[in-house]
């Protein structure tokens, strides 16, 4: 007697049923993800001065800082790059009697800083601004963007109604993290005023290692733009300062990189930087701003122990900078030890 046959039997209806179930399940999961992100609003699209954002969970500042610019109790802000990130808003609040957010972003171009500052200035009454300037503000052709993702739509006025554009695996993960933080099961990655200590712990400071990093970051002589060449970024600075109310405090500070990262004053690059500072001082005088120059050869910038590398100073230096800025604003006088010069004062 022949053995029974075990040939596979096609079941078209079974496959079509599976396909329908899969599509429906995927749609439900997608809608659930959209609902989760819309409800938690991890990037603060609905944030406003009366509706602060939730916990800051995404460490990409270009994604996280627009929500601080939109919401929260702030009437003052710091803009700049990593050379201004360690200025603690709590110390600035105590020094100037306002509510600061620190919106300085690592490696931010002048254009990126301008977009973020414009968003902040348009959303609330302003009592103070602090722009920390680096060499890119003096460039003849500064880059518009870096390799970091910069979602222009997130900085637009219409962004609060644009929920679907933020949908991604990253936004879902960030929303889940924010949800856990709301429940007290996780900690925010960045403080609600934008401040974060990005340098290593002071307990781990090693002077020999720091000196090696400083030497690695030392600038070498190279071709430079002519001192009279255009400095287009300064036009944006001029415009931003013009948007700040006349009675508000306006501070522009050239930030103190190590002397090894500064060009020699008698070099072409050094002469261009001097011209840039002179133009910035003119803008400051016209706009009623205090312009302070820490980017100079001084006891601060020649002391290796003040720095982690050629660009980034230590936390005690950040505290001193706040104190020095307060003195510069109050007196309009240069530092007696030469740490800073006041280039403009109302």
């Amino acid at each position: 007697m022949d053995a029974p046959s075990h040939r596979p039997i096609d079941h078209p209806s079974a496959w079509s049923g599976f396909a329908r179930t899969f599509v429906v399940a995927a749609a439900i999961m997608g809608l659930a993800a959209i609902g989760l992100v819309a409800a938690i609003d991890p990037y603060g699209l609905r944030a406003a001065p009366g509706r602060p954002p939730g916990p800051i969970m995404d460490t990409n500042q270009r994604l996280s800082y627009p929500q601080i610019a939109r919401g929260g109790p702030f009437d003052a802000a710091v803009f700049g790059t990593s050379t201004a990130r360690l200025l603690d808003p709590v110390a600035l609040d105590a020094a100037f009697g306002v509510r600061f957010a620190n919106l300085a972003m690592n490696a931010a171009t002048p254009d990126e800083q301008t977009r973020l500052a414009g968003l902040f200035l348009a959303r609330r009454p302003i009592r103070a601004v602090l722009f920390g300037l680096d060499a890119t503000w003096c460039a003849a052709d500064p880059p518009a963007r870096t390799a970091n993702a910069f979602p222009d739509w997130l900085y637009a006025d219409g962004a609060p109604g644009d929920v679907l554009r933020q949908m991604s695996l990253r936004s879902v993960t960030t929303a889940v993290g924010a949800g856990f933080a709301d429940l007290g099961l996780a900690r925010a990655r960045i403080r609600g005023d934008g401040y974060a200590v990005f340098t290593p712990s002071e307990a781990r400071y090693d002077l020999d290692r720091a000196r090696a990093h400083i030497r690695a970051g030392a600038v070498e002589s190279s071709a430079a733009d002519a001192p009279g060449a255009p400095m287009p970024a300064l036009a944006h600075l001029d415009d931003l300062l013009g948007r700040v109310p006349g009675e508000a405090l306006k501070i522009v500070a050239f930030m103190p990189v190590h002397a090894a990262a500064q060009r020699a004053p008698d070099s072409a690059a050094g002469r261009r930087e001097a011209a840039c500072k002179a133009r910035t001082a003119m803008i400051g005088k016209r706009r009623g701003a205090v312009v302070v120059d820490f980017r100079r050869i001084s006891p601060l910038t020649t002391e290796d122990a003040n720095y982690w590398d050629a660009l980034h100073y230590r936390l005690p230096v950040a505290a001193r900078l706040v104190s020095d800025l307060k003195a510069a604003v109050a007196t309009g006088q240069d530092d007696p030890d030469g740490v800073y010069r006041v280039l403009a004062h109302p």
Side-chain angles (χ1 to χ4, degrees), residues 301-315:
T301 59
T302 55
E303 177 55 65
D304 294 346
N306 287 332
Y307 288 83
W308 287 98
D309 55 38
L311 297 180
H312 301 111
Y313 46 79
R314 299 173 63 189
L315 283 174

Side-chain angles (χ1 to χ4, degrees), residues 100-325:
F100 265 96
N102 189 322
L103 300 179
M105 300 187 294
N106 292 353
T109 66
D111 183 69
E112 290 173 333
Q113 295 175 52
T114 297
R115 294 295 302 278
L116 183 58
L119 182 61
F120 183 86
L121 295 176
R123 305 289 291 192
R124 68 195 69 236
I126 304 298
R127 295 178 60 199
V129 292
L130 197 170
F131 290 94
L133 303 192
D134 292 313
T136 52
W137 284 89
C138 304
D141 186 23
R145 297 287 186 271
T146 67
N148 299 294
F150 189 92
D152 287 277
W153 64 268
L154 195 53
Y155 293 73
D157 289 338
D162 205 347
V163 176
L164 291 179
R165 294 190 68 173
Q166 70 174 330
M167 280 304 303
S168 67
L169 179 59
R170 181 173 192 144
S171 67
V172 173
T173 303
T174 303
V176 170
F180 280 133
D182 283 332
L183 295 173
L185 302 177
R187 295 179 60 185
R189 306 290 295 277
I190 296 175
R191 212 165 73 187
D193 58 9
Y195 182 70
V197 177
F198 67 97
T199 53
S201 167
E202 286 290 329
R204 295 172 51 197
Y205 186 77
D206 183 318
L207 181 57
D208 290 335
R209 178 176 295 180
R211 283 175 170 155
H213 287 306
I214 290 168
R215 288 194 298 271
V219 296
E220 299 177 357
S221 58
S222 59
D225 298 316
M231 300 178 188
L234 293 184
H236 296 299
L237 177 65
D238 188 12
D239 176 68
L240 289 170
L241 291 173
R243 299 190 213 175
V244 180
E247 66 277 9
L249 173 63
K250 309 172 189 179
I251 304 174
V252 178
F254 286 90
M255 301 308 293
V257 298
H258 191 280
Q262 300 181 43
R263 304 287 186 173
D266 59 350
S267 67
R271 289 190 292 273
R272 178 171 176 83
E273 188 166 295
C276 179
K277 291 177 180 178
R279 294 190 196 184
T280 303
M282 291 177 60
I283 292 171
K285 290 175 182 177
R286 184 168 65 253
R287 297 299 189 182
V290 180
V291 180
V292 185
D293 179 19
F294 292 99
R295 188 184 172 93
R296 59 198 313 272
I297 305 301
S298 75
L300 173 65
T301 59
T302 55
E303 177 55 65
D304 294 346
N306 287 332
Y307 288 83
W308 287 98
D309 55 38
L311 297 180
H312 301 111
Y313 46 79
R314 299 173 63 189
L315 283 174
V317 173
R320 173 178 180 159
L321 293 181
V322 174
S323 177
D324 285 346
L325 287 170

